[in-house]
Amino acid sequence: AMNQSSIKTAVIGHPIAHSKSPKIHNYWIEKYGLYGTYTAIDIPPKNLKQAIQSLIDQGYKGFNVTVPHKIEIMALCDEIDDLAQKIGAVNTVNIQDGKLHGSNTDAYGFIQNIKENTKNWRFKDGGAVVLGAGGAANAVIYALLKEGVPSITITNRTREKAEALVKLSSDKINVIDWDDRNAAFSDANLIVNTTALGMVNKPPLDVDISDTPASALVTDIVYAPLMTDLLCQAKDNNLQIVTGIGMLLHQARPGFKLWNGVLPDVTDDLVKLILK
C-alpha cells in the first residue's frame, strides 16, 4: 500500500562488512512480501551511545547486535529479558517508543538448528561436552540446561574462563583441563564446539573424538568452513552431525518476527543463498 511506512532494521558491529544478516533478513522481507529494509551499520565502540540514539531518531524498529557490542549494548537497554540477562549478552533489540528492549536469540538458534536436523537423538539421553568458554558458550550451556541435558563438561584453553561458567548450574557442570579434553568424549551424548578454532584463518581445533559413542551427536557453531575438521572427523566415525549454518539462520527468526510480525522459515533456498 502507498501509505505503508517501511520497517527499518539493521545489524550493528565493528567490523560488520562480513555479516550475513542483511542477506538473511532481506531474503525474508522479499519472500513474505513485506515492506522494509535491513542494513549493516559499522559502529566503532567509542560511538555506540551516539549511534544508537541516531537509530532511534531515524525511526528504526530494531537491530541485531554482533561483536564487539553484545555486552556493551546492555548498559543502553531500558529493559533486558531474563534469558539475555542470564546469558550476559544481547544480540536482538526491539525499539518501542524510543526505548530499547534487549533479548538474546542465540540459545533458541542453537536448539532449533539441532531439533530440525537430527533424527532419533535427544538432549536428555546423556552428557554434553562443550569446547570453549567464550560468549557463545554461555548461550549454548543455558540452552542445554533448559533442554534437560543431565550433565555438561566444559573444557577451554584458559581454565579460569570455563570455571566462571560453573555457576550456571553447579550440580550439573564440571570443568576439565584442555590437556584432558580427549578423555571427555567416551561417554558423551553431544559434543559442541563453541570456539573459533577450525574457522577459516584461525588455528585448527585439535581434538580426537574416536572414542565417542556411536549414538552421539557432534555439532559446531563455526560455519566457515561448513564442514569443519571436527565435523569431518565425526563423519569418518559415523556419528550424526549438525553444521553451524542453521544456528545463524534460526537465531535470526525471533528478531524478524518481533519487527515484521512474521516468524520466517529456514528453507534450503535460504541456506544455499547464505553459503554462496
Side-chain angles (χ1 to χ4, degrees):
M2 290 298 289
N3 62 356
Q4 192 181 7
S5 66
S6 175
I7 291 174
K8 284 194 290 199
T9 49
V11 57
I12 65 163
H14 182 73
I16 197 65
H18 65 281
S19 174
K20 294 183 183 289
S21 293
K23 248 185 173 171
I24 299 169
H25 285 262
N26 288 311
Y27 172 87
W28 284 333
I29 286 168
E30 195 178 344
K31 180 180 171 177
Y32 293 102
L34 303 171
Y35 194 46
T37 56
Y38 184 106
T39 53
I41 303 174
D42 193 309
I43 303 177
K46 63 178 194 307
N47 300 350
L48 187 61
K49 196 174 178 173
Q50 265 167 291
I52 296 302
Q53 189 55 53
S54 163
L55 294 183
I56 295 171
D57 296 343
Q58 292 170 62
Y60 273 74
K61 184 88 171 66
F63 53 91
N64 286 119
V65 186
T66 188
V67 177
H69 304 312
K70 280 184 171 189
I71 295 169
E72 278 63 33
I73 193 70
M74 295 176 81
L76 302 178
C77 287
D78 298 281
E79 200 178 289
I80 298 170
D81 75 13
D82 191 43
L83 183 64
Q85 275 177 3
K86 285 182 175 147
I87 291 170
V90 159
N91 76 340
T92 304
V93 173
N94 196 37
I95 303 175
Q96 258 179 316
D97 305 322
K99 299 233 188 289
L100 304 184
H101 300 264
S103 56
N104 189 304
T105 65
D106 285 331
Y108 170 88
F110 174 73
I111 294 299
Q112 287 303 120
N113 184 34
I114 289 179
K115 285 187 172 172
E116 296 201 6
N117 292 294
T118 50
K119 286 189 179 73
N120 308 320
W121 181 91
R122 295 183 323 181
F123 288 99
K124 294 185 169 75
D125 286 349
V129 177
V130 174
L131 303 164
N138 258 17
V140 164
I141 289 162
Y142 257 101
L144 294 178
L145 291 168
K146 215 170 139 198
E147 292 299 322
V149 168
S151 66
I152 300 172
T153 298
I154 311 175
T155 183
N156 187 55
R157 287 176 298 177
T158 317
R159 188 176 169 120
E160 291 72 35
K161 283 186 87 174
E163 295 282 3
L165 295 173
V166 172
K167 67 176 189 298
L168 303 184
S169 175
S170 51
D171 57 330
K172 289 190 174 172
I173 300 174
N174 70 88
V175 173
I176 60 167
D177 282 338
W178 186 248
D179 289 346
D180 300 331
R181 62 194 178 281
N182 294 336
F185 304 131
S186 61
D187 55 359
N189 180 50
L190 172 66
I191 298 171
V192 189
N193 175 40
T194 73
T195 74
L197 298 172
M199 207 171 159
V200 175
N201 300 327
K202 293 277 200 274
L205 171 66
D206 176 20
V207 294
D208 175 3
I209 61 166
S210 52
D211 275 349
T212 308
S215 55
L217 171 68
V218 180
T219 187
D220 203 320
I221 71 165
V222 170
Y223 55 82
L226 188 67
M227 284 302 295
T228 59
D229 287 345
L230 175 66
L231 295 180
C232 290
Q233 213 188 124
K235 240 184 156 167
D236 291 343
N237 285 294
N238 296 313
L239 300 170
Q240 194 171 177
I241 63 165
V242 172
T243 66
I245 193 67
M247 179 175 173
L248 174 77
L249 298 171
H250 282 284
Q251 68 76 30
R253 294 170 70 206
F256 190 89
K257 182 174 189 219
L258 214 50
W259 306 320
N260 299 290
V262 176
L263 184 66
D265 290 321
V266 170
T267 54
D268 291 344
D269 281 356
L270 177 58
V271 174
K272 282 195 191 87
L273 174 76
I274 299 309
L275 290 176
K276 257 208 301 230

